[in-house]
Amino acid sequence: MLARGVISATLRSAFQSPTSKYSISDGDLESRGFLFRRTISGLNLDHLNSVFVAVGFPRRDPEKIKLALEHTDSLLWVEYSKTQKPVAFARATGDGVFNAIIWDVVVDPSFQGIGLGKAVMERLMEDLLQRGICNIALYSEPRVLGFYRPLGFVADPDGIRGMVYSRKQRKKK
Ligand SMILES: CC(C)(COP(=O)(O)OP(=O)(O)OC[C@H]1O[C@@H](n2cnc3c(N)ncnc32)[C@H](O)[C@@H]1OP(=O)(O)O)[C@@H](O)C(=O)NCCC(=O)NCCS
């Protein structure tokens, strides 16, 4: 994921009433073979890596992915029951109290456009908000801003800009 800007979620109300606010219910998705998973148990990291690569993320060392996921507070993935493979994924790291950052929001290209990305994001947000974590940010590529906005994310809230460390910038000094 390229860091082009930070956007954060400000609309707590959008997620206050758990299941009724979901665009697709767990039952609906289950009947179509999509099962929500909230731990890494049963998650094949090579298959997850393949989904990352299929959407254009760089292939990463599975051992490093495993470590990163072990240090991740909240994660959510969707298993497709026919293949038992992950087809959608998102995770959030943070301090467990005030702040969280969402990473690696992906849907397998063969399963995009049927509501899985939104379903995963809605549930991840709900999990965080239920735990009282309200300061939620993510990095968004410009072409995906329109996906995050209806989920309650705004770019540069109150003029606040995100900054990321750049080795190139540092070398210039
Ligand atoms: C972005 C992504 C996660 C969306 O997942 P998805 O399952 O295809 O999206 P959904 O089917 O849940 O779409 C939900 C809504 O968002 C809209 N949407 C989806 N992608 C969008 C985009 N790039 N820009 C604007 N709106 C978008 C859909 O039209 C849909 O609108 P609706 O609720 O009015 O019908 C998925 O396309 C993906 O994995 N992309 C590649 C990886 C990536 O860019 N991840 C984000 C990194 S910043």
Side-chain angles (χ1 to χ4, degrees):
M1 190 185 307
L2 291 177
R4 297 258 178 82
V6 177
I7 57 179
S8 65
T10 53
L11 292 182
R12 186 181 172 82
S13 58
F15 290 92
Q16 264 174 355
S17 167
T19 47
S20 64
K21 291 286 177 186
Y22 294 157
S23 48
I24 313 180
S25 71
D26 288 21
D28 252 12
L29 286 167
E30 253 182 69
S31 70
R32 292 156 63 187
F34 299 113
L35 311 169
F36 282 105
R37 305 288 184 220
R38 284 181 166 79
T39 69
I40 56 172
S41 165
L43 176 59
N44 181 311
L45 298 183
D46 289 323
H47 291 161
L48 180 63
N49 223 352
S50 299
V51 179
F52 287 152
V53 171
V55 300
F57 291 5
R59 185 176 291 281
R60 289 178 275 190
D61 176 351
E63 273 309 307
K64 288 190 177 174
I65 295 181
K66 184 168 173 275
L67 252 180
L69 297 191
E70 284 168 2
H71 289 95
T72 293
D73 301 322
S74 308
L75 67 82
L76 195 57
W77 59 284
V78 174
E79 178 181 339
Y80 188 45
S81 57
K82 276 192 193 159
T83 57
Q84 294 183 333
K85 288 183 180 175
V87 292
F89 179 88
R91 67 187 181 104
T93 55
D95 58 23
V97 183
F98 305 111
N99 307 296
I101 301 192
I102 292 176
W103 306 98
D104 297 333
V105 180
V106 289
V107 174
D108 183 317
S110 315
F111 295 86
Q112 286 179 10
I114 56 169
L116 289 181
K118 191 174 183 177
V120 166
M121 278 298 295
E122 286 172 341
R123 285 158 180 81
L124 186 64
M125 293 294 294
E126 180 62 26
D127 289 352
L128 295 170
L129 294 171
Q130 285 292 319
R131 289 161 58 202
I133 301 168
C134 294
N135 190 30
I136 304 168
L138 54 79
Y139 296 96
S140 174
E141 293 192 26
R143 65 184 167 79
V144 195
L145 288 169
F147 167 71
Y148 290 120
R149 278 197 196 102
L151 290 160
F153 287 85
V154 288
D156 302 340
D158 303 320
I160 295 166
R161 295 289 185 93
M163 295 178 78
V164 291
Y165 177 74
S166 160
R167 273 190 214 169
K168 231 159 116 192
Q169 185 72 16
R170 178 94 177 109
K171 273 183 200 154
K172 279 188 198 159
K173 292 185 178 176

